[in-house]
Amino acid sequence: MELIDIKGVGEKKLRYLNKLGIYTIKNFLEYYPYSYIDTTKFKKISEITNEGSYSYKLKIISVLENKKLKNIRITKFLAIDEEQNSCTIVYYNNYFITKTIKENEIYEMYGKAKFVGKTVEIQAPTLQSKSKFIGNILPQYHLTDGISNLDLMKFMKNLLDKGSIEETLPSYIIDKLNLISYEEAIKNIHFPKSNELLFKAKKRLAFDEIFYFQLLAMFMKKDNEKYLSFELLDETFEFIKSLPFELTDSQKKVLDDIFLDLKSKKQMNRLIQGDVGCGKTVIALIASFNVIKNGYQVAFMAPTEILAKQHFESSKKLFSKFGIRIKLLVGSLKAKEKLKINQEIENGEVDLVIGTHSLFQEKVIYSNLGLIITDEQHRFGVKQRLLLSKKSDNPDIMVMSATPIPRTVGLVMFCDLDISSIKEMPTGRGKIETYFVSENYEKRYMDFLKKEILKGRQAYIVCPLIDESDNLELQSVSNLYKKLKSKYLQNIEVAFIHGKMKPSEKDEIMKLFETGKVKILISTTVIEVGINVPNANIMVIYNAERFGLSQLHQLRGRIGRGQYDSYCILVSNKSGELLRRRMEIMCSSTDGFYISEQDFLLRGYGDVFGYRQSGEQNFKMVNFQNDFEVLKFSKMFVEKILKEDKNLQKAKNKIINQNLKTIVKSINSDIIMN
């Protein structure tokens, strides 16, 4: 069955579904609601004591008003409930409502009640349709222009009424954990029959998500005779001695872990975590050096072109005397350039290739790939690592994250990875002071910023959105640039940058900032990773309440990279106890491990990893705080199943085998993230 076969979905609506990332029936079934509206309890007029949205059963008595004022048509009805108490119903610019609503008819409806004097007025209520939604718990979906919540509800109901949904787990797991069936879970996640069944549906779907995630991860870690083993070379230690700085004790300890992995006959699957600026990249380059000098290639993958280019430039400097051939492979290259680099990689004429998701592409064929490094691990995930690892026979895999991971999360989310932590920062860096202020203090902090600029320093100003939004009172890059430039920064070189710019435009602006020609860079979170300008010592972050603590810490990591004392100013006009606690944590600590743990406790893993800002959430249903017991059970089952039936050939695991194959197949056909 295809999406177009669902009753009501035509070519036009199909395009809108595609815009929401819905391309298949499976996509649609897994397009879970973000919230629910309970319309099961019908309110009488006498029961409405507070303004709010409710369900009603009302009899229409008459049309009170139907006229046009300026550009607005107002239509009002008089209605009564079963107790004969009256209210008014009002619609704006609904030209057909008088044909829909008939006098002396009783209607079920749902809408917002307001008090106009002593009269209850219900504003533009939704009437019960043939689908009979009102009187139930209704799903609320994320939308796009051209498709309404009612559209998605109707399409989903038509799909669920069409036929059965295949089970995804064997009965012995379902029975052991007392889970509801997959079909029942899907039906109740979209149209819950009760709050109890909604809870059970969430539990079941959360288990499915983490179970197959862990199973896939553990499959990647299975022992295999084809794993590579690398000799630890004297030349590698000569390279370490050539570095223009001394490694910290923490870096040396992590390097010992990596060397043991490289020498072993098992595949390396190691996560290197550490605070921004702790020196993870140089550790990765030392490992790369050893693998390359053993006669193998290395693929080094970064989440953004800016970061990829920075790794390219720094590796060229460090490897300049050692005859290592390095190429940069990113999406913005011309087709002719990509073709040439791809041929060189296939012919073994490249030792180290640094790039973004371009390294995944089918056209990229490696001659002898021995090591894969992915920077900012949480932006790729198991699926993307699997795609790249298939480019060779079980290459060693190293992943890095500047978002320190709470142990509880790491145990489950990174069950396929051994974890090493760099907890020591290099010497010779200035301290960072952090302050939380209201935007009412704008003149004071902008005057302070200008004083630092006059001393020769540079600054970042960060805001969360590119364009203005009617729904969110947030600063936009272009508007903030215009306002600050005209009000405070008339005689200072200012530029702005955001993710929707062409790579060439971003590169040009970043070069101007890195060379000091641009003094202030106004930006979205595109500067969150990979920007290294030691002269920049001021950061102002507008709408700080919109970011997770770990992302604020990542952003703050762009300053304090030189010898100068640095200052991070968090700006928000919001208030509240939770915001106060979060900002206190940021102002009192620069320890990324502590901040990450607090972020997790306060807001959950989605914000720890920045998924809510980036839209790259690995899980739709799992909540690490609420579902941790489920996650532990899942891990236990995965380990037990693979111990007893490592290739999933037993009859009782047939469903698991089939589903895992489907997941791997979908990964192979995935459109890789930008």
Side-chain angles (χ1 to χ4, degrees), residues 354-555:
I354 298 172
T356 53
H357 61 281
S358 300
L359 305 186
F360 288 130
Q361 303 307 313
E362 197 174 328
K363 295 174 185 176
V364 184
I365 299 168
Y366 294 86
S367 167
N368 196 16
L369 185 60
L371 172 64
I372 296 164
I373 300 166
T374 59
D375 200 357
E376 292 308 311
Q377 143 68 18
H378 61 275
R379 292 169 183 253
F380 291 107
V382 170
K383 288 185 178 182
Q384 286 72 31
R385 294 207 314 278
L386 180 62
L387 278 168
L388 191 50
S389 67
K390 290 176 77 172
K391 294 286 185 181
S392 176
D393 284 337
N394 301 299
D396 279 354
I397 295 173
M398 181 194 303
V399 294
M400 302 191 294
S401 178
T403 303
I405 296 149
R407 185 174 178 274
T408 48
V409 177
L411 283 172
V412 187
M413 190 165 181
F414 303 110
C415 57
D416 61 320
L417 299 172
D418 300 309
I419 300 177
S420 294
S421 302
I422 301 176
K423 294 192 174 183
E424 197 178 349
M425 297 297 284
T427 56
R429 295 195 172 192
K431 63 179 181 179
I432 303 176
E433 298 285 349
T434 304
Y435 303 93
F436 175 51
V437 298
S438 160
E439 203 173 325
N440 296 333
Y441 290 86
E442 189 173 69
K443 185 178 185 306
R444 285 178 63 178
Y445 59 73
M446 292 309 296
D447 285 345
F448 177 71
L449 181 149
K450 285 193 289 185
K451 282 181 185 176
E452 290 295 311
I453 299 297
L454 288 172
K455 290 179 187 176
R457 305 288 77 76
Q458 290 168 270
Y460 300 98
I461 298 175
V462 181
C463 57
L465 288 186
I466 297 165
D467 303 307
E468 284 293 351
S469 166
D470 294 331
N471 300 320
L472 299 171
E473 296 174 5
L474 306 177
Q475 299 286 353
S476 73
V477 171
S478 53
N479 283 1
L480 189 61
Y481 169 80
K482 289 171 191 171
K483 183 185 92 167
L484 297 181
K485 181 68 177 166
S486 62
K487 198 170 181 181
Y488 306 107
L489 310 172
Q490 297 94 332
N491 302 315
I492 299 174
E493 299 85 352
V494 185
F496 68 88
I497 187 173
H498 57 72
K500 289 187 179 178
M501 284 180 165
K502 293 178 181 176
S504 57
E505 291 178 297
K506 286 191 282 190
D507 286 347
E508 183 59 32
I509 291 168
M510 284 311 306
K511 281 175 188 172
L512 291 171
F513 188 63
E514 287 168 2
T515 56
K517 291 177 183 175
V518 165
K519 301 297 181 187
I520 299 173
L521 185 64
I522 300 177
S523 172
T524 57
T525 57
V526 71
I527 58 122
E528 180 185 351
V529 293
I531 309 301
N532 185 25
V533 181
N535 191 48
N537 74 324
I538 298 272
M539 176 171 284
V540 179
I541 303 176
Y542 280 85
N543 301 110
E545 78 282 353
R546 294 293 301 171
F547 301 95
L549 296 186
S550 291
Q551 195 176 32
L552 287 173
H553 182 63
Q554 281 266 359
L555 288 165

Side-chain angles (χ1 to χ4, degrees), residues 26-63:
K26 183 175 168 61
N27 291 157
F28 194 27
L29 290 173
E30 293 178 356
Y31 195 74
Y32 303 136
Y34 70 88
S35 183
Y36 299 87
I37 294 174
D38 190 345
T39 70
T40 57
K41 295 173 184 174
F42 289 88
K43 283 271 189 182
K44 297 171 186 175
I45 303 303
S46 61
E47 293 173 337
I48 301 172
T49 55
N50 295 306
E51 293 185 350
S53 295
Y54 309 106
S55 302
Y56 322 89
K57 285 181 184 176
L58 299 170
K59 183 178 182 179
I60 304 301
I61 302 301
S62 63
V63 178

Side-chain angles (χ1 to χ4, degrees), residues 53-297:
S53 295
Y54 309 106
S55 302
Y56 322 89
K57 285 181 184 176
L58 299 170
K59 183 178 182 179
I60 304 301
I61 302 301
S62 63
V63 178
L64 292 176
E65 192 177 317
N66 187 20
K67 62 184 180 182
K68 194 171 184 180
L69 295 175
K70 295 184 179 179
N71 295 321
I72 301 174
R73 174 163 289 280
I74 300 173
T75 308
K76 284 188 179 181
F77 299 89
L78 177 65
I80 59 170
D81 63 11
E82 63 186 63
E83 295 179 336
Q84 305 300 304
N85 291 317
S86 65
C87 67
T88 59
I89 300 169
V90 61
Y91 288 91
Y92 300 98
N93 290 332
N94 192 326
Y95 295 93
F96 304 102
I97 196 65
T98 52
K99 293 181 180 180
T100 304
I101 293 181
K102 305 296 181 185
E103 291 181 14
N104 296 314
E105 292 285 335
I106 296 174
Y107 293 90
E108 292 181 349
M109 60 186 76
Y110 179 86
K112 187 173 184 178
K114 289 191 74 173
F115 291 105
V116 180
K118 292 184 178 180
T119 304
V120 172
E121 181 179 274
I122 302 169
Q123 299 185 327
T126 301
L127 301 179
Q128 183 72 283
S129 67
K130 291 177 184 177
S131 302
K132 296 286 183 186
F133 287 125
I134 294 168
N136 297 290
I137 300 171
L138 304 182
Q140 298 295 291
Y141 298 99
H142 289 296
L143 305 172
T144 187
D145 289 339
I147 199 162
S148 69
N149 199 72
L150 189 58
D151 284 335
L152 289 178
M153 285 167 60
K154 285 179 179 177
F155 300 158
M156 185 61 72
K157 190 171 190 304
N158 291 338
L159 173 60
L160 294 176
D161 288 346
K162 194 104 177 177
S164 61
I165 299 169
E166 288 186 10
E167 184 51 68
T168 58
L169 289 175
S171 57
Y172 72 87
I173 293 180
I174 293 171
D175 294 342
K176 180 76 175 176
L177 294 180
N178 194 26
L179 299 171
I180 62 174
S181 72
Y182 184 69
E183 181 171 12
E184 196 177 358
I186 287 292
K187 287 182 175 178
N188 279 280
I189 204 67
H190 291 290
F191 299 108
K193 291 178 183 175
S194 66
N195 286 317
E196 183 186 0
L197 278 170
L198 175 58
F199 175 80
K200 288 182 176 180
K202 287 181 176 179
K203 179 184 174 184
R204 167 62 205 262
L205 296 173
F207 182 86
D208 271 43
E209 277 189 342
I210 197 66
F211 176 79
Y212 280 105
F213 175 90
Q214 290 176 328
L215 194 62
L216 179 61
M218 294 301 284
F219 248 72
M220 289 175 64
K221 198 179 181 181
K222 284 199 306 179
D223 286 346
N224 191 304
E225 292 176 2
K226 294 181 182 177
Y227 286 155
L228 304 172
S229 177
F230 301 100
E231 187 182 343
L232 191 53
L233 303 170
D234 291 340
E235 197 175 353
T236 302
F237 292 99
E238 289 172 21
F239 170 64
I240 294 170
K241 286 179 186 176
S242 77
L243 295 172
F245 45 77
E246 179 76 21
L247 296 178
T248 64
D249 289 341
S250 193
Q251 283 174 308
K252 289 173 184 174
K253 187 176 183 304
V254 170
L255 206 49
D256 286 342
D257 292 340
I258 292 167
F259 285 158
L260 285 172
D261 287 342
L262 291 175
K263 288 192 296 181
S264 77
K265 292 182 180 179
K266 290 186 177 181
Q267 184 186 37
M268 170 164 68
N269 278 283
R270 187 166 293 278
L271 169 66
I272 311 300
Q273 63 168 349
D275 232 330
V276 280
C278 71
K280 296 181 296 296
T281 304
V282 73
I283 296 300
L285 291 178
I286 291 169
S288 300
F289 185 97
N290 194 77
V291 169
I292 289 164
K293 292 301 178 180
N294 270 271
Y296 287 82
Q297 292 172 308

Side-chain angles (χ1 to χ4, degrees), residues 616-670:
E616 292 162 14
Q617 191 168 343
N618 269 8
F619 303 110
K620 295 171 184 163
M621 198 55 64
V622 176
N623 181 306
F624 272 86
Q625 290 162 302
N626 299 336
D627 299 327
F628 197 66
E629 288 302 311
V630 174
L631 307 183
K632 285 197 295 186
F633 277 121
S634 167
K635 189 167 186 282
M636 178 187 76
F637 270 108
V638 167
E639 289 172 346
K640 189 171 186 292
I641 289 165
L642 291 180
K643 186 177 180 181
E644 295 174 355
D645 184 17
K646 68 176 183 177
N647 293 315
L648 301 174
Q649 296 301 305
K650 291 184 179 179
K652 68 175 185 175
N653 293 324
K654 185 179 178 182
I655 289 176
I656 298 174
N657 195 334
Q658 287 173 340
N659 273 286
L660 194 63
K661 284 177 180 176
T662 302
I663 292 167
V664 173
K665 188 177 178 182
S666 72
I667 291 171
N668 291 333
S669 61
D670 265 353

